[in-house]
Amino acid sequence: MEPVEPELVAGKQAPLWYAALFVCVQLGALAGLLSVMARPWFLTHDGYPGIYQAGYGMRLMHADCDVVVYGDSSALTGLDPQLIAKITGLKTCNIAEARGVEDVVGFRFPLDAYLQRNKRPRFILMMLGAPSFLPDKKPFTAFSTEGMIYALQYDHGREMLHGFRRRPSWVVNFVFWAAENILENQWKQLLPWTRRADIDTRKQRADRDGIWPFPLPPEINCDYSALAPGAVVERNAVDVAETRKQYAVEGTQVIINVSPISNCNPYEGLYRKQLDGLHDNALIALPMPYFNMTDVHFSPVGSAYISTAAANQILELMHQYDAKRLNTPSPVLRGPIGK
């Protein structure tokens, strides 16, 4: 058998080296982009000012609020801590996050992170939209760019990193989305006719103790796209009870509310049937001007209404506690209440 020339061996192996080098370059670029997206710089250069406000609860250290508002974007845009504090006399903060954040990091992560750095509140007031009433949502329920950004910025735990490794398509899709947004935003900022003024949504939220109303006018026409039957998920009373049990400790009282829907929503009966017995307030239908986006985000008048109702719930629990201590009847409240 004739010996094989060394040059031929090297020639045959060259494509493998090129392929390995190509893969390494791609992985390095991917890791580099993810590193950029995990930095605060990305939040102000991604062309989406709204995401800059996320993580308000992660930035609170020793805030020690007596009432902690939590939930999805219905709570984020609707429950006004300053109004609740004015009615109840209790220091209140709103650490709610958008549903997309909870889709990736899970429902409990933002709240648990806040509780680790602050004393336990007297009340945890949760509010969730009717189609997403899942107070025990697990991490990686669905892909969301908002959730991916939040996870990279705030959740660096081992479970989150493992979750990313198990979902390479999520990572790739997110990287392409983020790179496109960065380039588009930088291009628009170069052109005078497309340049936008900087909006500090983080300051907007901090100035109002955590609420972040969408800057849109009240709705005129029905827009229940976010509440369509296809978005409805099966409810689990056990999960609701477990969430209540987990947080109702060390003197904390937990209120779990469902967000109102618009009075033109044709699925009201469906929601009432699915949510029966799972929430502490009444599922009510409000007029269109109480909302300003997809019938789940609230205008100022809607925010004032539901915040007053929630404050009255808290007052009722406070009176019940005092009445139990003094063995006297609890007074009857006036105005909108939970039930």
Side-chain angles (χ1 to χ4, degrees):
M1 180 179 294
E2 295 184 359
V4 179
E5 294 296 330
E7 292 77 6
L8 294 178
V9 174
K12 291 181 179 179
Q13 290 180 340
L16 296 178
W17 285 107
Y18 292 146
L21 179 61
F22 177 79
V23 171
C24 288
V25 169
Q26 300 302 311
L27 291 176
L30 191 64
L33 286 170
L34 286 175
S35 176
V36 169
M37 295 162 198
R39 299 177 183 276
W41 176 89
F42 177 70
L43 297 176
T44 56
H45 293 79
D46 64 348
Y48 178 31
I51 195 61
Y52 189 52
Q53 56 76 27
Y56 175 73
M58 303 294 291
R59 297 186 289 274
L60 295 181
M61 182 78 70
H62 304 302
D64 301 335
C65 298
D66 298 308
V67 178
V68 172
V69 174
Y70 188 60
D72 58 18
S73 59
S74 64
L76 169 64
T77 64
L79 290 174
D80 186 344
Q82 295 177 355
L83 180 55
I84 293 173
K86 181 179 179 180
I87 295 173
T88 64
L90 300 176
K91 182 180 180 180
T92 306
C93 57
N94 185 334
I95 64 167
E97 298 291 353
R99 183 176 68 180
V101 169
E102 297 163 1
D103 283 342
V104 176
V105 302
F107 179 77
R108 296 182 179 181
F109 175 79
L111 178 56
D112 289 344
Y114 168 87
L115 293 175
Q116 289 173 3
R117 293 188 292 269
N118 296 270
K119 75 174 185 180
R120 290 202 66 84
R122 291 182 61 180
F123 298 94
I124 294 177
L125 170 62
M126 298 182 182
M127 188 170 78
L128 295 160
S132 56
F133 193 87
L134 292 169
D136 193 35
K137 183 184 291 185
K138 301 299 186 290
F140 298 105
T141 301
F143 174 79
S144 161
T145 53
E146 286 180 312
M148 296 289 285
I149 294 172
Y150 185 97
L152 287 170
Q153 293 286 328
Y154 300 112
D155 187 356
H156 301 150
R158 181 176 299 177
E159 180 182 355
M160 188 58 55
L161 296 177
H162 286 335
F164 285 158
R165 281 200 292 266
R166 291 192 296 266
R167 295 166 177 82
S169 62
W170 286 24
V171 175
V172 172
N173 289 338
F174 174 69
V175 166
F176 276 104
W177 172 87
E180 181 181 353
N181 273 32
I182 291 174
L183 293 174
E184 182 180 355
N185 181 63
Q186 296 306 303
W187 175 252
K188 287 182 177 179
Q189 292 299 98
L190 291 174
L191 303 176
W193 54 88
T194 58
R195 186 179 301 142
R196 295 182 300 185
D198 291 334
I199 302 174
D200 192 344
T201 56
R202 184 171 291 188
K203 184 178 185 301
Q204 287 179 341
R205 192 170 180 186
D207 288 345
R208 298 193 59 183
D209 298 324
I211 186 176
W212 187 64
F214 277 14
L216 297 172
E219 283 186 302
I220 300 175
N221 301 315
C222 262
D223 179 12
Y224 46 83
S225 56
L227 307 176
V232 176
V233 293
E234 186 177 348
R235 319 301 173 176
N236 191 328
V238 175
D239 288 344
V240 176
E242 184 61 31
T243 298
R244 193 186 302 274
K245 179 181 177 181
Q246 175 175 342
Y247 294 108
V249 296
E250 300 180 29
T252 298
Q253 292 182 273
V254 177
I255 302 170
I256 302 180
N257 285 348
V258 62
S259 175
I261 60 175
S262 67
N263 59 7
C264 60
N265 192 293
Y267 310 116
E268 179 179 346
L270 175 63
Y271 292 126
R272 291 190 184 280
K273 181 179 179 181
Q274 286 199 325
L275 298 172
D276 184 42
L278 299 184
H279 47 90
D280 295 322
N281 65 336
L283 175 57
I284 59 175
L286 297 176
M288 285 306 305
Y290 282 58
F291 303 89
N292 67 4
M293 183 180 178
T294 61
D295 297 2
V296 293
H297 303 130
F298 293 91
S299 66
V301 64
S303 172
Y305 183 90
I306 64 172
S307 298
T308 301
N312 276 341
Q313 280 182 283
I314 293 171
L315 283 178
E316 178 65 23
L317 290 174
M318 294 169 64
H319 288 313
Q320 289 176 5
Y321 177 78
D322 292 339
K324 185 176 180 180
R325 290 177 58 196
L326 301 174
N327 197 24
T328 57
S330 175
V332 177
L333 297 173
R334 296 182 178 181
I337 59 175
K339 276 190 177 178

